[in-house]
Amino acid sequence: MGEQGGKRAAKFQGPKGTRDFYPADMVRRRYIEQAWRTVSIRHGFEEIEGPTFEAADLYAVKSGEAILGELFQAFSGKSPEEVEQVRATGRAPYALRPEFTPTLARMYADRAASLPRPTKWFAIPIHYRAERPQRGRLREFLQWNADVIGDESPQADAEVIAVAVGLFTELGLSGRHITVRLSNRDLVSELLLENGVGEGNVGRALTLLDRRDRMAAEEFTRACGEIGLNAAALAERLGSIQSEMNSALAAMENGEAMPAIARRSPGIEQLKGLLAALDAQGILKWCEFDFSIVRGLAYYTGTVFEITAAGERAVAGGGRYDRLIESFGGPPTPAVGFGMGDVVLSLVLEEHGLMPEGERLAECLGTRPDAFVVSAGDESCDAAVAPLVAELRRAGLHARRSYKATKKIDKLLKDAAACWARFAVILDESWSAGRVQVKDLTDGTQHTIPRAQLAPWIAQRRAGLAV
RNA sequence: GCGAUCGUAGCUCAGUUGGUUAGAGCACCUGGUUGUGGUCCAGGGGGUCGGGGGUUCGAGUCCCCUCGAUCGCCCCA
């Protein structure tokens, strides 16, 4: 911009951390979205969607500082008061959504009285976070969310984990590639209280544990001192309970009954319930306990989990948020859910050669043309291409044509093969007698078909019926 | 927001100690090899070397700034 007239226009680049989806990229995105949608529906979830921006206050307290620092802010610019507010406070009235759970909780709270229990919803929203892009992290991304609302039982926790596992299975991933790491905030909180932390400092302590690996040892020690936490004792207790729980998990995976657990507490009861429910879902082999996971978002309660793949960031993360809906003005409503981003998932699929391409991808997405019409004859054949394509489309077929000027059949067929068409319709000398050549590009056979029977012939043959 | 590396056609890259009109392969378009699907051959379109400034007789090649990308930090999907 700012160039003199006559100079070439300035080129624009897409904003930092965003992606352009050309056709080859879009089909890969659709492949993932289709798997998300198919598996969600298979597990009995119903699709919802909300606004891409919300009142900034929606995120203010519930999400925690971590997300607040990454908010993309938005305002209409229509009123002087609004502009002045942004200028004075640096805070806009709206924010592009950085996550979906607050929107979901708001939507549920609005109609809670008329919604069934449990309500099972999924969404495939686009999200925005103003962080520095890097491997597996962009500023604009898709995130699949699946939530069970109104069911406090561990069966609900297991059900959302099961739909995530179902997705991995659908895409060809297994427990060799993927691990579901389970934890429980109530259990960790109990142990914090038993190891020196006062009632009012539990939240702070959880945040501290969440960052433990990322801070200097002496800094961690000092922070522990401030809240009275005996970190060594806590680590020892958590570690021994963790290995006990993992042994129980392994035993159950071998078909044995759940072993007795030494400790008795509300947190342990939740974990035992979860273990039984995961067993009922048949997905124990994907899971393990990892009590170092507490998660950064402030609204989590009880069960929390992260799903990881070797060498990558977390593919998905989630947990219980039993008080969030109430805090948005709804009735007290337990809920559990997770989010899975498209960026890391794509990397994992690529890494294992599980992202299909070419014909297989076109087949999965239903984008293969049924007929590809080419003219290899005189002007009358050229003129017949457009009406013939239109006729096939009216018959409900996916019909395309070549736009090349050449009459070379090899090049025209190459054109047809490039889009994975099932049949090539060749207009040549026989067109003057009302017939076309149809080549089945799958098996190489060629047939002479009267024009009037072309569409039904292709439709039947596509359906696998004998002609 | 901080650090490191990088930035030449749509893609992958080559460009000699700075020196005349910036190259290749793939892709795209056209034509030929006289008519059937990732052969071969020929031709063509497309880049002011991310952008701006500076040093120099002269910079894609050196210096500064800026934008972007990649990989870490932070945080999380």
Side-chain angles (χ1 to χ4, degrees):
Chain A
M1 305 297 282
E3 297 277 334
Q4 295 291 335
K7 287 210 167 186
R8 72 164 55 196
K11 281 186 180 175
F12 287 99
Q13 296 176 309
K16 178 193 297 197
T18 64
R19 293 169 288 182
D20 294 330
F21 292 90
Y22 290 89
D25 311 301
M26 200 61 200
V27 290
R28 296 150 75 90
R29 168 171 164 176
R30 286 291 176 224
Y31 177 73
I32 288 174
E33 290 176 342
Q34 179 173 289
W36 282 343
R37 191 165 278 116
T38 301
V39 172
S40 298
I41 291 167
R42 184 182 297 161
H43 284 248
F45 289 75
E46 295 180 292
E47 186 163 10
I48 59 167
E49 175 60 293
T52 54
F53 63 97
E54 292 271 12
D57 290 344
L58 187 71
Y59 306 109
V61 191
K62 311 297 188 266
S63 297
E65 286 305 315
I67 271 192
L68 292 182
E70 297 178 348
L71 280 185
F72 264 109
Q73 303 195 61
F75 62 102
S76 71
K78 292 294 187 188
S79 78
E81 294 79 11
E82 183 188 55
V83 174
E84 183 48 38
Q85 180 208 320
V86 173
R87 202 193 312 276
T89 66
R91 296 221 165 221
Y94 301 108
L96 270 44
R97 65 182 172 200
E99 58 160 339
F100 193 67
T101 304
T103 297
L104 177 138
R106 180 180 64 70
M107 287 171 67
Y108 185 89
D110 276 354
R111 298 200 178 174
S114 63
L115 289 168
R117 290 193 170 214
T119 287
K120 295 166 66 177
W121 282 345
F122 81 95
I124 305 179
I126 193 123
H127 292 292
Y128 305 88
R129 289 188 194 170
E131 67 178 340
R132 189 80 196 272
Q134 55 190 292
R135 183 175 176 84
R137 289 290 177 269
L138 297 172
R139 290 182 150 192
E140 183 182 53
F141 56 94
L142 287 167
Q143 187 191 94
W144 173 43
N145 285 257
D147 296 85
V148 174
I149 308 148
D151 184 345
E152 65 186 351
S153 75
Q155 282 77 14
D157 302 35
E159 206 168 324
V160 299
I161 293 169
V163 69
V165 167
L167 182 278
F168 295 125
T169 304
E170 177 76 9
L171 294 177
L173 290 160
S174 76
R176 289 198 315 280
H177 311 110
I178 298 289
T179 306
V180 180
R181 299 181 195 282
L182 306 162
S183 183
N184 187 292
R185 279 198 166 197
D186 289 343
L187 174 71
V188 176
S189 299
E190 287 168 12
L191 288 162
L192 285 168
L193 290 170
E194 290 167 20
N195 286 281
V197 177
E199 198 76 55
N201 277 328
V202 171
R204 237 177 113 188
L206 289 171
T207 306
L208 181 62
L209 290 180
D210 187 39
R211 334 195 138 148
R212 173 174 199 167
D213 294 341
R214 301 182 283 270
M215 58 202 295
E218 56 272 24
E219 190 186 345
F220 177 74
T221 309
R222 193 182 61 243
C224 287
E226 285 173 17
I227 55 176
L229 173 60
N230 183 340
L234 176 74
E236 213 231 292
R237 276 305 283 146
L238 272 180
S240 78
I241 298 173
Q242 181 175 305
S243 59
E244 194 179 4
M245 291 303 298
N246 275 324
S247 302
L249 190 155
M252 292 173 72
E253 206 181 322
N254 289 329
E256 300 166 27
M258 189 187 304
I261 304 295
R263 181 185 171 84
R264 303 179 70 87
S265 77
I268 287 294
E269 289 310 306
Q270 290 181 33
L271 285 169
K272 284 162 71 177
L274 178 61
L275 206 43
L278 291 169
D279 191 21
Q281 292 281 352
I283 54 175
L284 279 180
K285 62 176 172 293
W286 294 74
C287 301
E288 67 178 47
F289 291 99
D290 181 347
F291 297 148
S292 69
I293 290 170
V294 292
R295 315 256 327 137
L297 298 177
Y299 51 68
Y300 281 123
T301 57
T303 299
V304 289
F305 60 92
E306 285 182 4
I307 303 179
T308 56
E312 299 290 349
R313 294 160 191 281
V315 185
R320 267 203 174 271
Y321 47 98
D322 286 345
R323 288 187 276 278
L324 188 61
I325 289 167
E326 188 176 0
S327 74
F328 286 157
T333 309
V336 57
F338 71 89
M340 181 186 297
D342 73 308
V343 185
V344 176
L345 181 61
S346 296
L347 290 171
V348 173
L349 291 178
E350 296 286 353
E351 201 174 319
H352 295 101
L354 291 171
M355 177 59 79
E357 45 189 42
E359 184 174 350
R360 217 183 111 217
L361 186 52
E363 188 72 60
C364 285
L365 298 178
T367 59
R368 289 185 69 184
D370 299 308
F372 193 92
V373 181
V374 303
S375 166
D378 58 17
E379 297 77 11
S380 70
C381 293
D382 295 352
V385 170
L388 194 54
V389 167
E391 184 180 317
L392 292 170
R393 289 173 179 163
R394 279 193 294 274
L397 295 171
H398 173 180
R400 295 194 192 186
R401 56 169 295 178
S402 178
Y403 294 94
K404 291 189 191 302
T406 185
K407 299 291 182 189
K408 304 282 179 196
I409 292 187
D410 58 341
K411 296 197 173 172
L412 293 168
L413 288 178
K414 192 175 165 183
D415 214 17
C419 63
W420 314 108
R422 297 171 201 276
F423 299 96
V425 176
I426 304 165
L427 301 180
D428 61 7
E429 304 79 57
S430 61
W431 175 245
S432 57
R435 290 190 288 272
V436 296
Q437 306 296 324
V438 181
K439 178 160 186 168
D440 184 326
L441 295 171
T442 306
D443 63 18
T445 60
Q446 191 159 318
H447 312 264
T448 304
I449 307 293
R451 179 209 175 132
Q453 282 156 40
L454 180 60
W457 189 90
I458 290 177
Q460 281 189 15
R461 186 153 174 128
R462 182 188 64 171
L465 300 174
V467 177

